[in-house]
C-alpha cells in the first residue's frame, strides 16, 4: 500500500533542518548553548514553516549594520571594510545552505538602523548614508544580491521628510517612553542585559570626553534608554512592513524569545560586531573581530583599493586568541 504524502510533516521536517542549520551560530544569552534543539524555538519553527508550506523563499529580517563606531580606536573609519564583507559572505552562505533543504531558497533582509538613532550615538546622517551605500555596493560586488537585501528609514517614510523628522515620527508613534523602559529594566532580565550592553557600547564609542568618568557613565546610561526606545520603534516599523519575516537579532537572545540571536564573524564576546571593530586574520587563516587598537598590537594593517581593509597577524602572535577590547 502506497504511503500517503503529508505536506504538513514535510514542511515541519524542512523547518527543523533550516533551524538546525542556524543553531550552531546562535548568539545565546544562556551558557549551555550546546543543549539547543529546534523545539526550544517554537516561534521560529512556526514562522519558517509558514514560508515552507506556501512554497516561498524563507525571509529573515535582521536589524543591524547601522554605521561605523565614531571611535577611531575601534574602527578604521566610517565606511564598511572587510569585517562587513565577512559578515555578508557568512549570511549569504547560510541562505545558500538553506536552499539545499528548501528549493525556493532563503533571503535575509538587512534592516539598517543607523538613521533611527544616529543623532543619539553622535554619527552624522551623511556618514550613515555613505555606510549604507558602501554596504549595498559590497553586496553587489560579492554577488550576494540573490540572498541579501536592504531596508532602511528611507524605505519607510520616503524622501520628503528630513531624517530628524523621520526619527521623531517613529519615536513618537511607535517607541516606548523612557519611563516605561526604566520600569522594564528593573523587572526584566532580557531588557536589563540589553541596557547594559548598549551602555557599554556608548561608553566605548566616545573618543574625546573631557569630563569625569562618572559623568560619562551617566551620559551613556541616559542615552542607552533613548537608543533602546528608538530600536523598539524600528522593530515595530520592520514588523509593520514585513510582518511574516523570521526575526533575527545581532544581540544575545534567550530560548523561546521572539527573536533569534545570530553571530556574524569570529567574535571574542557575544556583543562584538563588524561595525564596532576591525577584522584580524590569524596565521591559521581564521578571522577574529576586535578593536583596532588591539589589532594594531597583533598585526599589520592591510589596504585594498587604497582603503584600510583588515589586519594580518604577525608571525610572533601566539595561537591563543586575545580578547576583544
Amino acid at each position: 500500500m502506497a504511503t500517503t504524502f503529508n505536506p504538513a510533516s514535510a514542511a515541519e521536517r524542512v523547518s527543523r533542518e533550516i533551524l538546525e542549520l542556524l543553531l550552531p551560530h546562535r548568539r545565546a544569552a544562556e551558557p549551555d548553548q550546546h543543549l539547543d534543539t529546534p523545539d526550544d524555538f517554537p516561534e521560529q519553527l512556526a514562522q519558517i514553516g509558514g514560508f515552507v508550506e506556501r512554497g516561498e523563499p524563507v525571509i529573515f529580517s535582521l536589524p543591524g549594520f547601522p554605521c561605523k563606531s565614531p571611535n577611531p580606536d575601534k574602527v578604521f573609519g566610517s565606511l564598511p571594510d572587510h569585517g562587513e564583507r565577512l559578515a555578508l559572505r557568512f549570511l549569504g552562505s547560510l541562505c545558500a545552505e538553506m536552499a539545499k533543504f528548501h528549493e525556493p531558497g532563503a533571503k535575509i533582509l538587512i534592516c539598517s538602523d543607523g538613521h533611527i538613532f544616529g543623532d543619539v550615538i553622535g554619527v552624522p546622517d551623511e556618514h550613515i548614508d555613505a555606510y549604507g551605500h558602501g554596504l549595498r555596493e559590497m553586496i553587489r560586488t560579492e554577488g550576494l544580491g540573490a540572498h541579501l537585501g536592504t531596508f532602511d528609514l528611507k524605505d519607510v517614510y520616503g524622501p520628503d521628510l528630513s531624517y530628524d523628522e523621520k526619527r521623531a515620527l517613529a519615536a513618537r508613534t511607535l517607541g516606548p517612553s523612557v519611563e516605561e523602559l526604566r520600569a522594564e529594566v528593573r523587572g526584566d532580565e532580557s531588557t536589563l542585559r540589553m541596557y547594559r550592553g548598549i551602555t557599554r557600547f556608548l561608553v566605548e564609542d566616545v573618543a574625546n570626553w573631557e569630563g569625569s568618568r562618572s559623568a560619562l557613565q551617566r551620559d551613556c546610561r541616559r542615552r542607552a534608554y533613548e537608543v533602546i526606545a528608538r530600536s523598539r520603534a524600528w522593530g515595530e516599523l520592520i514588523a509593520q512592513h514585513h510582518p511574516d519575516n523570521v526575526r533575527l537579532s545581532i544581540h544575545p537572545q534567550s530560548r523561546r524569545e521572539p527573536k533569534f540571536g545570530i553571530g556574524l564573524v569570529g567574535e571574542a564576546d557575544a556583543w562584538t560586531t563588524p561595525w564596532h571593530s576591525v577584522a584580524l586574520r590569524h596565521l591559521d587563516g581564521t578571522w577574529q573581530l576586535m578593536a583596532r587598537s588591539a589589532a594594531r598590537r597583533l598585526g599589520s594593517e592591510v589596504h585594498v583599493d587604497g582603503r584600510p581593509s583588515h589586519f594580518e597577524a604577525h608571525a610572533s602572535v601566539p595561537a591563543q586568541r586575545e580578547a576583544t577590547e
Side-chain angles (χ1 to χ4, degrees), residues 7 11 100 204 242 286 298:
K100 297 178 181 178
E204 293 176 349
H242 306 283
T286 59
L298 299 177

Side-chain angles (χ1 to χ4, degrees), residues 88-202:
L88 294 175
R89 287 175 179 172
F90 165 70
L91 293 174
S93 70
L94 278 182
C95 293
E97 285 295 313
M98 291 177 202
K100 297 178 181 178
F101 305 119
H102 180 54
E103 186 175 354
K107 189 164 188 173
I108 296 174
L109 188 66
I110 295 172
C111 302
S112 301
D113 47 2
H115 284 300
I116 197 74
F117 48 64
D119 58 326
V120 182
I121 63 176
V123 177
D125 286 310
E126 55 267 28
H127 288 189
I128 299 171
D129 278 332
Y131 179 88
H133 174 76
L135 198 70
R136 290 187 292 273
E137 183 65 12
M138 196 173 279
I139 291 172
R140 185 189 67 81
T141 58
E142 290 289 319
L144 297 171
H147 297 313
L148 305 180
T150 60
F151 176 77
D152 65 19
L153 208 55
K154 295 190 294 295
D155 297 310
V156 176
Y157 295 123
D160 295 334
L161 299 178
S162 70
Y163 283 124
D164 283 335
E165 290 171 325
K166 293 171 184 175
R167 283 188 282 263
L169 179 59
R172 184 175 68 253
T173 58
L174 296 169
S177 69
V178 170
E179 291 72 24
E180 290 170 331
L181 278 179
R182 289 184 187 278
E184 193 174 330
V185 165
R186 289 193 295 268
D188 181 72
E189 180 64 30
S190 177
T191 308
L192 175 62
R193 185 173 64 245
M194 174 69 70
Y195 168 72
R196 287 173 172 168
I198 296 297
T199 300
R200 173 189 144 190
F201 273 142
L202 292 173

